[in-house]
């Protein structure tokens, strides 16, 4: 599968293996996940000390992998001029890897650390709830993430199991390759064929591609979660024609454009339809946010089943050639890579659904009401956002920008496009129910981003100012929610500065005053943060980040962007492998004025060791050691950077969609940079300028160390 995108400077590639954790041996939960880890961290054949992850960090690329229930995919992004060597390197490693006991042992420890950090997350709780809806005899009835206990410590056994699993599933009969790039279609097609030939053909006794039905007769289960959501799942038949599977994907896309707005009660604030959601890729999902009783959910499931069946009937009768094979990303896509990788995974799944199961399945309509399963949120409803409102004596001042700011240089279509963006510091904007879907029906794209530091919304399309005024007038403010996700990612979010006052950016002056007044009115309702007790009985995990901040001149921003690219490979290698600082190790920049560069690690060792080792200087001994080692690594990286930084140009990736161009410019305005980094142009830093910049690091640079643990405790020191 390929797509030609001439405006791209980077290629995005997915190599999907049609096998997942529901294909692994019952006695070794986590084996498929372990194989994914080992493939990306084992030494490459051409180099005894470089893994795929290290190779990509050294070549201005990024690589990740994901093991799902029926598909495992390794996906990467790379500068287009390095596509061929990157694609063949990854394909060769996946086809003929070299396992070693040391790598296997290290990745068992990494998977166990992930398990400890994520076992109480909403995503893991959802997977556990899905398992309860599976037939007790099906392998899906248990948790398959894997940890040190399930995988064990017998490296010989694991080596043999990994080898057997790889031989059975990582072959040409299960490989799906998808590329989107600026290369010509013929060149991409030739490259895909070369990659495919690296994989062995399936053995005569290779397992079947068919999917065994997993769902039991139980129709609902409680989901302990951090929010009020209901997920309705309609299990798919084990065999579906490819064009019908594509039609189901079209059904999800069209529903997300607002086609269910009129069918939902007022208590539902948002919804999302998904074909083949993670953890239940043999199902069609509709996730509803809001509040509803169990009786209301049952009635809603029946009504939606009827509506979905009628809607799908208009598509499912089409023939194999009736669907356009050209890929179109969803209208609200910012980054092409994640959307392309999700599309590639769904295309890989079509091979499994095209193979009938040997087990008998009762014939039933996909969207029959009796076929729907419910994952019910088990959290008390939150207080209404109106409870936070307080009226101060005067409206706050609103910072205001109007005009293009060069975004049409990125995408010419933006020269005739309208938009409006608003930011509120220290609170979360809560739009009225189903705002995104209602705006989609008006051909207006809506995007929102929340953080502990503030919340912004953007509307793009005709009459954007009018739509933004209506949105702000109907919205309320709520206290910023506790962050979710990896601790390292939460620390990285602190790199980017945000303003302390409300901000507006509009494309057209007409109606701008009304937007500013509506934002001032909304921002005047001060959100009172309710103190939340820290979570209890959670395993301790700690993220530590050392940051360098500079005032943010164009040269300083380019320098830190270049340092991020140059330091990533060496830091990853030293922090993760040489010194074992944690299972996460990354370098990330925060562009703006000021600009920042962060070197972050995350570990589960600090809390475990500190219980017995005591503390020194107010910090557990293990955490102090990690911080000191982090400082030692980063200091050494900067001492050896002069010649390499001078010889290179930073790879400045332009936005890949019109919405991304708007958001990048919007973020630049919010952070005080005014222009995104990619519009500064390719500027080489000459010897004298580099010397001056490195001197500024010593005179103007500000180094800090940040700590964040799984109990929510945050601290920063010089």
């Amino acid at each position: 599968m390929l797509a030609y995108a001439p405006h791209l400077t980077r290629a995005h590639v997915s190599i999907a293996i049609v096998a997942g954790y529901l294909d692994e041996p019952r006695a070794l939960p986590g084996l498929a996940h372990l194989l994914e880890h080992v493939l990306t961290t084992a030494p490459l054949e051409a180099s005894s000390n470089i893994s795929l992850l290290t190779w990509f960090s050294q070549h201005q690329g990024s690589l990740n992998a994901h093991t799902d229930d029926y598909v495992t995919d390794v996906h990467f992004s790379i500068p287009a001029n390095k596509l061929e060597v990157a694609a063949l390197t990854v394909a060769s490693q996946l086809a003929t890897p070299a396992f070693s006991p040391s790598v296997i042992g290290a990745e068992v420890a990494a998977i166990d650390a992930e398990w400890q950090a994520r076992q109480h997350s909403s995503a893991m709780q959802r997977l556990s709830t899905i398992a309860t809806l599976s037939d007790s005899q099906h392998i899906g009835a248990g948790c398959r993430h894997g940890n040190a206990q399930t995988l064990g410590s017998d490296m010989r056994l694991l080596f043999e199991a990994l080898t057997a699993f790889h031989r059975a599933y990582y072959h040409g009969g299960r490989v799906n390759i998808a590329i989107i790039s600026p290369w010509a279609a013929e060149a991409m097609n030739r490259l895909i064929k070369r990659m495919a030939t690296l994989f062995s053909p399936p053995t005569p006794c290779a397992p079947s591609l068919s999917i065994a039905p997993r769902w039991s007769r139980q129709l609902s289960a409680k989901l302990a979660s951090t929010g009020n959501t209901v997920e309705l799942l309609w299990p798919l038949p084990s065999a579906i024609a490819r064009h019908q599977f594509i039609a189901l994907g079209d059904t999800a896309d069209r529903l997300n454009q607002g086609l269910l707005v009129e069918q939902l009660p007022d208590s539902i604030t948002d919804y999302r339809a998904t074909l083949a959601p993670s953890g239940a890729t043999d199902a069609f999902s509709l996730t509803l946010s809001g509040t509803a009783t169990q009786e209301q959910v049952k009635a809603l499931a029946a009504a939606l089943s009827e509506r979905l069946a009628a809607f799908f009937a208009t598509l499912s009768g089409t023939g194999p050639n009736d669907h356009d094979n050209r890929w179109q990303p969803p209208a609200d896509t910012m980054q092409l890579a994640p959307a392309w990788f999700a599309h590639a995974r769904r295309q890989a799944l079509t091979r499994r659904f095209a193979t009938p199961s040997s087990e008998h399945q009762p014939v039933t309509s996909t969207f029959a009401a009796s076929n729907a399963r419910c994952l019910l949120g088990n959290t008390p409803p939150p207080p209404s956002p109106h409870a936070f409102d307080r009226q101060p004596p005067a409206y706050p001042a609103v910072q205001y920008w109007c005009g293009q700011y060069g975004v049409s240089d990125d995408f010419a279509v933006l020269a005739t496009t309208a938009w409006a963006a608003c930011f509120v510091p220290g609170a979360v904007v809560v739009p009225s129910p189903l705002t995104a879907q209602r705006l989609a029906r008006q051909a207006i794209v809506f995007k929102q981003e929340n953080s502990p530091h503030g919340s912004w919304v953007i509307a793009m399309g005709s009459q954007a100012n009018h739509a933004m005024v209506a949105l702000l007038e109907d919205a309320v403010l709520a206290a910023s929610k506790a962050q979710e996700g990896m601790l390292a990612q939460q620390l990285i979010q602190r790199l980017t500065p945000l303003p302390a006052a409300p901000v507006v950016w509009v494309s057209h002056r007409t109606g701008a005053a009304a937007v500013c007044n509506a934002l001032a009115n909304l921002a005047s309702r001060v959100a009172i943060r309710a103190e939340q007790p820290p979570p209890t009985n959670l395993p301790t995990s700690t993220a530590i980040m050392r940051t360098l901040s500079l005032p943010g001149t164009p040269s300083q921003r380019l320098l830190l962007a270049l340092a991020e690219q140059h330091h990533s490979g060496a830091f990853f290698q030293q922090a993760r492998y040489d010194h074992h600082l944690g299972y996460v190790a990354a370098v990330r920049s925060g562009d703006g004025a000021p600009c920042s560069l962060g070197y972050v690690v995350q570990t589960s060792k600090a809390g475990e060791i500190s219980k017995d080792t005591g503390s020194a200087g107010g910090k557990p001994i293990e955490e102090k050691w990690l911080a000191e080692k982090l400082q030692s690594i980063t200091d050494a990286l900067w001492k050896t950077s002069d010649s390499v930084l001078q010889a290179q140009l930073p790879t400045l990736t332009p936005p890949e969609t019109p919405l991304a161009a708007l958001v990048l410019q919007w973020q630049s305005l919010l952070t005080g940079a005014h222009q995104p980094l990619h519009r500064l142009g390719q500027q080489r830093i000459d010897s004298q300028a580099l010397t001056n910049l490195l001197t500024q690091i010593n005179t103007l640079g500000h180094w800090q160390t940040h700590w964040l643990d799984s109990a929510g405790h945050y601290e920063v020191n010089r």
Side-chain angles (χ1 to χ4, degrees), residues 257 329-334 445 460 659:
Q257 295 302 305
D332 61 350
T333 298
M334 277 185 50
V445 176
M460 180 179 73
L659 180 60

Side-chain angles (χ1 to χ4, degrees), residues 139-159:
I139 189 173
C143 176
R144 310 299 302 182
H145 181 284
N147 53 50
Q149 182 176 357
T150 66
L151 292 168
S153 57
D154 188 335
M155 294 301 111
R156 184 185 62 80
L157 173 64
L158 287 176
F159 176 87

Side-chain angles (χ1 to χ4, degrees), residues 122-410:
S122 57
M124 290 298 295
Q125 290 169 357
R126 173 182 171 273
L127 291 179
S128 296
T129 306
I130 290 174
T132 66
L133 295 177
S134 300
D135 186 280
S136 60
Q137 301 303 310
H138 193 276
I139 189 173
C143 176
R144 310 299 302 182
H145 181 284
N147 53 50
Q149 182 176 357
T150 66
L151 292 168
S153 57
D154 188 335
M155 294 301 111
R156 184 185 62 80
L157 173 64
L158 287 176
F159 176 87
E160 293 174 353
L162 287 170
T163 302
F165 190 80
H166 181 272
R167 185 186 307 113
Y169 294 102
Y170 280 63
H171 55 69
R174 287 179 178 259
V175 174
N176 290 264
I177 301 170
I179 301 177
I180 183 170
S181 82
W183 282 27
E186 296 82 1
M188 283 190 282
N189 196 40
R190 286 195 299 270
L191 178 58
I192 288 175
K193 289 181 178 179
R194 289 178 63 192
M195 296 166 66
T197 59
L198 296 173
F199 290 87
S200 301
T203 62
C205 57
S208 169
L209 281 164
S210 65
I211 293 176
R214 69 159 138 179
W215 302 95
S216 69
R217 295 184 179 182
Q218 182 178 340
L219 297 181
S220 65
K222 290 285 188 180
L223 172 62
S225 65
T226 56
N228 286 273
T229 61
V230 173
E231 184 174 5
L232 299 174
L233 293 170
W234 285 269
L236 303 176
S238 291
I240 305 175
R242 181 178 183 277
H243 69 280
Q244 290 181 313
F245 195 82
I246 294 173
L248 279 170
D250 293 342
T251 300
D253 291 341
R254 297 187 188 187
L255 291 176
N256 291 331
Q257 295 302 305
L259 294 184
L260 284 183
V261 166
E262 308 302 334
Q263 279 72 42
L264 297 175
D266 293 340
S267 60
I268 300 301
T269 59
D270 197 8
Y271 74 82
R272 187 75 182 176
T274 309
L275 172 64
S278 180
T281 57
D282 53 349
F284 186 97
S285 165
L286 186 65
T287 301
L288 308 171
S289 300
T291 57
T293 65
Q294 199 158 349
E295 292 74 18
Q296 289 173 321
V297 169
K298 186 176 181 180
L300 189 58
L304 290 177
S305 295
E306 182 178 352
R307 177 79 171 94
L308 291 171
F311 185 73
F312 179 61
T314 65
L315 296 173
S316 61
T318 59
N321 298 319
D322 294 343
H323 293 277
D324 193 341
N325 287 326
R326 291 176 299 174
W327 177 66
Q328 290 292 332
D332 61 350
T333 298
M334 277 185 50
Q335 297 178 332
L336 283 183
W340 177 250
F341 299 151
H343 177 64
R345 285 192 292 271
R346 287 194 295 270
Q347 292 298 310
L349 275 169
T350 62
R351 296 181 64 177
R352 299 208 73 156
F353 284 107
T355 307
S357 171
S358 59
E359 298 185 30
H360 171 72
Q361 260 195 308
V363 178
T364 180
S365 168
T366 298
F367 293 112
S370 59
N371 200 30
R373 270 66 172 175
C374 298
L375 276 61
L376 302 169
N378 195 24
T379 303
S384 166
H386 290 284
F388 293 109
D389 291 353
R390 300 290 186 273
Q391 193 69 34
Y395 291 165
V398 173
Q399 192 172 0
Y400 165 72
W401 289 292
C402 179
Q404 290 269 326
Y405 282 85
V407 293
S408 58
D409 295 339
D410 295 325

Side-chain angles (χ1 to χ4, degrees), residues 29 31 37 100 115 159 166 179 226 229 280 442 480 497 499 508 559 566:
L31 185 70
H37 271 243
S100 70
W115 164 254
F159 176 87
H166 181 272
I179 301 177
T226 56
T229 61
Q442 304 171 41
S480 298
H508 297 81
L559 175 68
H566 171 55

Side-chain angles (χ1 to χ4, degrees), residues 657-704:
T657 65
L659 180 60
L662 282 184
V663 170
L664 277 176
Q665 179 59 56
W666 173 228
Q667 291 172 331
S668 295
L669 293 173
L670 290 176
T671 60
H674 299 291
Q675 286 291 322
L677 197 59
H678 72 275
R679 285 208 220 111
L680 296 180
Q682 297 284 22
Q683 304 176 24
R684 189 179 299 278
I685 304 173
D686 61 39
S687 178
Q688 185 57 50
L690 178 63
T691 300
N692 293 339
L693 284 172
L694 294 176
T695 300
Q696 290 176 21
I697 290 175
N698 296 324
T699 58
L700 301 176
H702 182 57
W703 288 96
Q704 290 182 309

